[in-house]
Amino acid sequence: IGRDFQKNKIYRTIHMFPKATYFFVFCLVAFVVSQHNTCSYHDGKNQYNFSPLTLTNEDYKAVDENNQAYYFNICANTNTVICDPASPVCQSSSQSQLYSCGLLNTQTFNVIEGIATVTYTDGALCLSSGIPRTTTIFIECDQTATTPVVESINETIPCNYEIRMKSKYGCPAGSNSKCSYTTANGQYVDLGPLVRSPGEGDYSIRDQNGYLYFLNICANSTVCKNDAACQISPNLMVSLGEQTTETISGIQDGVSIKYTDGSICNNGMPRTSTVNILCDQFEEGRLVNVTETTACNYQFNMMSRHACY
């Protein structure tokens, strides 16, 4: 059914069909809508999940050499600057006019020279050529770009735009394979997005006694040097486990990571730490608390959507 039809024309056309045909059309439309709502892609070799890049209250912004602003989103229409019709990419001209640079229901994914792309077509007609505006967003893999970085916007040919950005979500799922877990029923859990780079700093938290703890996931802590976690008290830092001893297992509602061979405790045993990462669809990665469950055995609790499966 063409999108330019008026509602009453669609209604009359559907009611000319037998019920079975109506049911088929309904299922076909539902299938197409579900396809456009997806935000993941498999290129035959790697799986990509772009859903963490979807913004709900703001938009990405890029400005070209002519000082024209482009507001865009990934797998959703823009939130703050709204084109008519609503679109995932909106161009704001120097005269403050808004032009759609592609529609959400035309969304396609690809991998071009190793870079994941999202393309939107059928935007507003270009004034110079009369062809619809089109936008391709290049999402370059960068594990250190935990916050997406918009780098450039270029009009490669009239009314065809290329936006380039970097993000860890441009990396194939499992690209940080040592930081993943596969459940008994084959579900893959990628914890790679929780890894903190040196520039981001460690996760940190204080316990009820005021001791300060630093922690990283699947990598050495910046503060703790060659260890995954450590405890700091006045004039003393003790290891709570070496990163090389890491083991990952499944727990109810999440994933657990254990580190051993930390600093020797007063009882003569090496310190250990366990990080329980519990599923919370609304948290990127938040350290909630830390407790000493038994002598020199520490448990961190973290909430993250990356532990959901």
Side-chain angles (χ1 to χ4, degrees):
I1 300 172
R3 65 171 178 272
D4 294 330
F5 282 12
Q6 297 177 357
K7 289 183 179 179
N8 61 337
K9 291 182 180 178
I10 296 173
Y11 182 84
R12 288 200 300 270
T13 303
I14 288 176
H15 278 265
M16 292 171 59
F17 299 149
K19 289 183 178 180
T21 306
Y22 174 83
F23 178 75
F24 170 77
V25 171
F26 175 82
C27 291
L28 179 61
V29 171
F31 172 77
V32 171
V33 170
S34 69
Q35 290 300 295
H36 289 144
N37 282 344
T38 187
C39 203
S40 62
Y41 174 65
H42 196 285
D43 67 350
K45 180 180 179 181
N46 295 306
Q47 179 72 36
Y48 296 82
N49 178 23
F50 306 114
S51 57
L53 294 173
T54 303
L55 299 178
T56 56
N57 297 309
E58 55 185 329
D59 298 316
Y60 300 104
K61 181 182 178 181
V63 179
D64 67 15
E65 58 184 8
N66 298 316
N67 206 35
Q68 296 185 114
Y70 297 77
Y71 300 87
F72 67 98
N73 206 348
I74 305 294
C75 301
N77 290 325
T78 53
N79 298 290
T80 60
V81 175
I82 309 299
C83 280
D84 184 15
S87 305
V89 185
C90 287
Q91 178 196 59
S92 178
S93 71
S94 55
Q95 291 79 35
S96 299
Q97 292 178 297
L98 297 177
Y99 300 97
S100 166
C101 295
L103 299 179
L104 182 60
N105 63 3
T106 67
Q107 174 177 279
T108 57
F109 301 105
N110 202 352
V111 175
I112 300 174
E113 295 181 354
I115 301 177
T117 65
V118 186
T119 297
Y120 300 103
T121 61
D122 289 356
L125 295 182
C126 196
L127 299 179
S128 59
S129 63
I131 63 172
R133 288 171 167 82
T134 295
T135 304
T136 298
I137 304 170
F138 288 75
I139 310 172
E140 184 178 348
C141 171
D142 186 340
Q143 288 284 9
T144 67
T146 53
T147 299
V149 178
V150 179
E151 295 199 312
S152 64
I153 167 75
N154 291 294
E155 189 173 6
T156 54
I157 58 176
C159 297
N160 282 263
Y161 308 96
E162 284 188 2
I163 297 173
R164 292 187 176 267
M165 62 190 300
K166 289 185 177 182
S167 171
K168 64 181 179 181
Y169 299 110
C171 304
S175 57
N176 195 343
S177 58
K178 71 184 183 69
C179 198
S180 63
Y181 172 71
T182 302
T183 68
N185 59 1
Q187 291 176 292
Y188 182 82
V189 184
D190 182 16
L191 301 176
L194 293 175
V195 179
R196 288 282 181 90
S197 66
E200 295 175 283
D202 299 333
Y203 298 97
S204 62
I205 195 168
R206 288 187 183 273
D207 67 12
Q208 59 184 2
N209 297 316
Y211 291 116
L212 182 60
Y213 297 79
F214 290 93
L215 167 73
N216 204 351
I217 302 296
C218 299
N220 287 331
S221 155
T222 302
V223 173
C224 310
K225 305 304 180 185
N226 295 323
D227 301 305
C230 61
Q231 178 198 69
I232 296 181
S233 57
N235 303 318
L236 182 64
M237 180 175 73
V238 294
S239 166
L240 303 184
E242 295 182 0
Q243 196 276 322
T244 55
T245 66
E246 172 185 284
T247 56
I248 303 177
S249 59
I251 57 174
Q252 184 175 356
D253 298 326
V255 176
S256 182
I257 305 177
K258 186 171 183 178
Y259 300 102
T260 60
D261 292 351
S263 300
I264 300 299
C265 198
N266 292 335
N267 61 9
M269 300 296 293
R271 288 172 169 83
T272 69
S273 58
T274 301
V275 186
N276 290 334
I277 309 173
L278 303 176
C279 171
D280 187 330
Q281 293 286 3
F282 300 99
E283 294 284 357
E284 174 67 20
R286 181 170 65 90
L287 202 54
V288 178
N289 57 43
V290 57
T291 56
E292 188 174 4
T293 53
T294 59
C296 299
N297 290 279
Y298 303 85
Q299 179 177 301
F300 297 89
N301 289 317
M302 174 181 284
M303 310 301 293
S304 174
R305 59 190 176 83
H306 299 292
C308 300
Y309 55 88

